[in-house]
Amino acid sequence: MNTRQPPGAPRPAPLPCLGRRAAGLALLSLALPRAGMAQAQEGGTMLVPGPEDGGCARWAARASASLSRGLHRPGALRLTYLGGPDGVTAANRFATLDGAGGTHFLVLPGWTCHARLTGATRARFEPRAWMPLLVNWHGAILAGRGPLPGRGGAPLRVAIPSPDAPEAAALAALDLLGVPAQPVSGTPETAFAAGEADALILTGPDALARAQALGALPWYQLPWPGEAEAGEVPPFPSDSPVAKGVLAAAAGLQMRVALVMPLLTPADTVAAWRRAAARWPEEERGQPDTGQALTGPAAASAFALLSPSPDATLSYRSWLERRLGWRPT
């Protein structure tokens, strides 16, 4: 075969001989676009219940700033406000997102999950399809005037703002313990301080101190993941579906707010955000009225309390209808 160039044809330029440094730079230039794609995947959108100057919005701003610092990328999260402070509209919208357009997060107050627990027809979402990245959790105790009475005493008065409010968990807890009780209308702490109620659930960063300030005696401590049980207050029994339904209702008071993401989020993306969240508990510690700042297994354990098994959920809904005559509309 004749491989000679025809007369007058331009000769091809010889291939350059790359040194080690030049070859390394060439490989690095090929890798940079892929690294940029990986960084872009760490960004995301945070869906936040409105209004833009509300409590959820302020918490979301702090969480977003902390996570962005953890990613070393300013502005890594975009905040989108939707619906009102009950969080149901935002949660319904979050449940419809298909994962297109990057990673999505939802700022989820505890009372939003409680609306789902009670069977409210507005709540068209399933919290068990989500996993928590950050959780702010309050301790809680069941307390009342003097020692917990026995089964034969006069009924205790329990103030409840409305049948579908999470404060109804105090009445459900007494029913489960076999202590006679009756509901009265009102805000629990206000009614207790005025002598119009005898038992209530107290929550907050230091629920025991709040009980002491009100003159209430602690009877049972409700779950507080991530921290040892207080030795002087026994844990509330939680070994039955009925008890888990009661604790799920109380958890609507205990979980101030959480940042959740879909369970189907890719594992490498979840790992990146969990690394970014590592400093958040320490940064959140100085904020007022935040309770425990939970991440990792402690956050998952706390969040699981709000979404019990179907039989526990049904038991609480049945109790609402039987005891308080409430049915979702």
Side-chain angles (χ1 to χ4, degrees), residues 11-12 30 77 85 94 104 121 148 179 182 202 210 214 235 255 264 269 280 289 315:
R11 291 179 177 275
L30 293 174
L77 280 167
F94 187 72
H104 296 97
T121 55
L148 180 68
V179 176
Q182 63 184 21
L202 288 165
R210 294 183 72 177
L214 278 173
M255 192 180 83
L264 297 180
T269 302
W280 179 77
D289 197 35
S315 71

Side-chain angles (χ1 to χ4, degrees), residues 8-145:
R11 291 179 177 275
L15 292 174
C17 181
L18 297 177
R20 290 185 178 181
R21 179 179 176 81
L25 290 173
L27 290 174
L28 180 60
S29 68
L30 293 174
L32 282 176
R34 184 173 298 275
M37 291 173 60
Q39 284 187 347
Q41 289 176 355
E42 291 179 352
T45 300
M46 187 184 294
L47 201 58
V48 185
E52 294 188 21
D53 60 349
C56 285
R58 291 191 296 271
W59 185 90
R62 292 203 312 271
S64 173
S66 178
L67 291 171
S68 295
R69 286 190 292 270
L71 290 174
H72 307 293
R73 292 185 60 223
L77 280 167
R78 299 179 300 277
L79 273 59
T80 300
Y81 303 96
L82 182 65
D86 68 2
V88 173
T89 299
N92 286 340
R93 180 70 181 93
F94 187 72
T96 67
L97 299 178
D98 58 6
T103 306
H104 296 97
F105 299 88
L106 171 68
V107 173
L108 182 68
W111 52 73
T112 308
C113 289
H114 183 76
R116 177 69 175 80
L117 175 72
T118 63
T121 55
R122 287 185 59 232
R124 300 183 299 274
F125 57 88
E126 176 48 73
R128 287 184 294 173
W130 305 332
M131 59 181 163
L133 181 66
L134 313 173
V135 171
N136 271 113
W137 189 262
H138 283 171
I141 55 173
L142 177 66
R145 299 186 191 280

Side-chain angles (χ1 to χ4, degrees), residues 208-229:
L208 289 173
R210 294 183 72 177
Q212 184 177 11
L214 278 173
L217 186 67
W219 294 337
Y220 284 102
Q221 179 169 289
L222 278 61
W224 195 343
E227 186 168 298
E229 300 282 356

